[in-house]
Amino acid sequence: MLQLHTSNMPRERTYIMIKPDGVQRGIVGQIIARFENKGFKLVAMKLCSPTKEHLETHYADLKSKKFFPGLIEYMLMGPVCCMVWEGDNAVKTGRVMLGATNPADSAPGTIRGDLCIHVGRNICHGSDSVESANAEINLWFSEAEQNTWGHHSEGWVYENVEEPKQEDGGAAASGTSNTVGTTVHAPLTAYPGANEAFNEYITYSDDASIGQDCPDLSSLKMVQGDALKTGDGRVKIVFFWGKYLKWQCWPTMIGMCEIAEKHPEIDVVGIAADKKEKDVLRFMEKGECRADCPLAFDMNWVLKDAFRNLMKVGALAVPHAFLINGEGKIVWRQAYSAGYQFATMGFYEQLLHVLAGDDISNPNGPNPEPEEDLGEEVESKDVFACQEVADAIW
C-alpha cells in the first residue's frame, strides 16, 4: 500500500553547519545551493559566533580525542552558518553530500571532495544520525526558530504527496473559493491595512493602469504559442515572470497554465521579465515547472516599460499579472511576492467576473499614499562665497 505524505507534516531533519573556513571563503551560497538543488527544504538558518562552551557541548563526544583543543580553536576562528534541512533520508543523504571527513578521501562531486583539501579545514559539519541531528538542532536553534512550511514544488520532488488540508479561514475553507487544477483561489476581500499605508502588491480602486488600453503586444517575440492581438473580443491575461521561477514565480506560472487549460476561450501569455532570451529557453528546456501556456520574450523591455508607465510607478515587480477585457482595456492587475502568493490574491475571481460580464469588484479602496512632501524651499548658496575657512585649504 502506498504511503501518502501530507506536505505540512515535517520529514526527517538534519543539522548542517558551515564552519569558519567555509564562511570566510565565501562559499556559503554554493553549499546552500547543493541542498536546494537536491530537493531538501531549508527550515532554519542563522549566522552566529558560538562561545567556547557551546562548541564544547556540540563536540562533547570528541572531548577525549587529542585533537579536541585544536578543533575548538579552529571553530572559534570566525562565525559559523547554522542550518536545518528537511527531507526524506536527510541525515544519511546529507552526510553523503558532504563527503568523507578527510577531503582527501571524499569523492569528486561531494562538497568536501570539490571544495576543500585538508581535514583541518573541511568547511562543514553534518549530523551522523537522526538522534544526534535532533540533539544538535535543539542545541543550535530554539523551537521558535524552526519553521514548518509547505514547499510549492514538493509534488515535483516526491512521489505520492497528498494535498495539504486548509486550516479554518484558509482559501479552501470558504464556500466561495475556486479551484483550478491544484491551485486554490481565495475570494477577493479587502486586504488588512490596505487603507493605512501604500503597498505595491495591492491593486487600489484608483490604480492608474485600470481602464487604460493594453499596450500593443505585437513587439513580443513568441518562443511558445501564437502571437496575441488585443481588442479582438477575447479576454486576455498578460503576466510577467522572473527567469528562474523561484519562490512566488513558480505558483504563478502553474496557476496561469491551469487557467489557460480550463478556459480555452481566453488568451494567456507569459512574458519573461529579463533581457536575456537564452534564460527563457533554458527554463523551458529544464522542464522543472509546468509552462505549457504561450511564452514570449520582451525585446528590450518594450512591454515591461509600457505597462510600468501606465502604472505610474518606478518598477514592475515580478511576477505580475494584468487582466485585459475583450475591448483591450486593463481591468485588473496583481503583483505577487513571497508573502502574497498567486493562490490567495483573488485574481481568478476577477477573471470570472469579466467572463460573466459583471463589474470588477475592488474592496481595497483608493491608494492611501499621501502627496509627496517636498518640504520648504531651500535657498541656494555658493559654498565658496560663504565659506568660513581660508581658501588655501580647498
Side-chain angles (χ1 to χ4, degrees):
M1 180 178 178
L2 294 176
Q3 296 295 316
L4 297 181
H5 181 88
T6 302
S7 59
N8 59 356
M9 294 173 56
R11 296 175 184 269
E12 185 175 289
R13 293 182 174 183
T14 188
Y15 176 70
I16 302 293
M17 176 168 59
I18 303 176
K19 298 178 181 180
D21 48 327
V23 174
Q24 293 285 354
R25 289 174 56 193
I27 56 177
V28 171
Q30 293 186 48
I31 296 172
I32 291 174
R34 299 263 186 140
F35 285 88
E36 285 187 323
N37 291 339
K38 179 67 177 177
F40 288 143
K41 180 170 62 180
L42 183 64
V43 296
M45 183 174 74
K46 63 183 177 182
L47 191 72
C48 67
S49 299
T51 64
K52 179 180 179 182
E53 292 73 22
H54 194 95
L55 289 168
E56 288 177 342
T57 300
H58 175 79
Y59 287 112
D61 59 325
L62 301 176
K63 197 166 188 177
S64 61
K65 303 293 184 179
K66 292 182 179 181
F67 60 78
F68 184 75
L71 171 62
I72 300 301
E73 183 180 357
Y74 156 50
M75 292 298 296
L76 287 170
M77 292 173 65
V80 297
C81 182
C82 312
M83 300 177 288
V84 179
W85 290 92
E86 181 182 293
D88 283 358
N89 301 312
V91 173
K92 180 180 179 180
T93 305
R95 294 281 289 186
V96 172
M97 291 173 63
L98 295 184
T101 301
N102 188 342
D105 299 327
S106 297
T110 63
I111 292 173
R112 289 174 178 146
D114 289 349
L115 301 177
C116 54
I117 298 174
H118 288 168
V119 67
R121 298 290 185 271
N122 66 357
I123 67 174
C124 47
H125 162 87
S127 302
D128 58 8
S129 69
V130 174
E131 292 73 20
S132 63
N134 292 334
E136 290 170 352
I137 290 171
N138 292 327
L139 175 65
W140 291 91
F141 291 94
S142 67
E143 184 175 350
E145 292 175 309
Q146 302 172 42
N147 299 277
T148 298
W149 59 287
H151 199 288
H152 59 74
S153 64
E154 189 169 8
W156 297 99
V157 176
Y158 300 100
E159 296 178 317
N160 308 316
V161 176
E162 184 180 84
E163 289 296 319
K165 295 180 179 179
Q166 298 288 331
E167 299 294 333
D168 290 342
S174 172
T176 57
S177 65
N178 295 283
T179 300
V180 179
T182 59
T183 306
V184 177
H185 303 269
L188 181 65
T189 57
Y191 189 82
N195 296 311
E196 297 175 4
F198 175 74
N199 187 321
E200 64 177 313
Y201 298 108
I202 295 176
T203 304
Y204 296 100
S205 57
D206 57 353
D207 188 285
S209 67
I210 303 301
Q212 299 291 327
D213 289 329
C214 176
D216 183 9
L217 303 178
S218 63
S219 64
L220 289 176
K221 180 178 180 179
M222 302 300 298
V223 294
Q224 180 172 278
D226 298 325
L228 302 183
K229 181 180 179 181
T230 59
D232 58 358
R234 289 175 63 87
V235 174
K236 291 174 175 57
I237 297 176
V238 176
F239 74 100
F240 293 85
W241 52 277
K243 62 182 179 181
Y244 296 121
L245 278 188
K246 290 185 177 179
W247 302 301
Q248 69 274 26
C249 289
W250 198 310
T252 307
M253 174 67 81
I254 294 175
M256 292 300 176
C257 290
E258 291 178 349
I259 288 176
E261 181 180 49
K262 184 172 182 178
H263 294 279
E265 72 276 19
I266 72 171
D267 296 321
V268 175
V269 62
I271 303 174
D274 188 87
K275 291 187 176 181
K276 297 180 180 178
E277 184 177 2
K278 64 180 182 181
D279 289 321
V280 185
L281 302 177
R282 184 185 299 117
F283 158 70
M284 295 172 61
E285 291 171 357
K286 290 174 67 176
E288 294 180 348
C289 171
R290 178 180 179 182
D292 49 13
C293 69
L295 298 178
F297 177 63
D298 185 12
M299 303 296 292
N300 299 316
W301 279 356
V302 172
L303 262 296
K304 184 178 180 182
D305 287 342
F307 277 101
R308 178 180 59 80
N309 290 335
L310 289 178
M311 293 160 53
K312 300 186 184 301
V313 296
L316 189 151
V318 294
H320 207 123
F322 292 85
L323 181 57
I324 317 297
N325 67 14
E327 298 175 355
K329 302 287 186 180
I330 299 174
V331 293
W332 185 259
R333 72 171 180 87
Q334 190 64 66
Y336 308 100
S337 75
Y340 302 88
Q341 292 187 5
F342 173 79
T344 62
M345 296 301 287
F347 186 93
Y348 186 58
E349 180 184 352
Q350 302 294 51
L351 170 63
L352 295 180
H353 280 305
V354 174
L355 292 176
D358 299 333
D359 293 332
I360 285 288
S361 169
N362 191 334
N364 291 325
N367 176 4
E369 189 173 27
E371 294 292 331
E372 183 179 4
D373 184 7
L374 299 178
E376 297 181 1
E377 184 176 353
V378 179
E379 181 182 358
S380 177
K381 295 182 179 181
D382 184 342
V383 65
F384 294 99
C386 63
Q387 65 184 8
E388 298 179 359
V389 292
D391 289 339
I393 71 168
W394 291 92

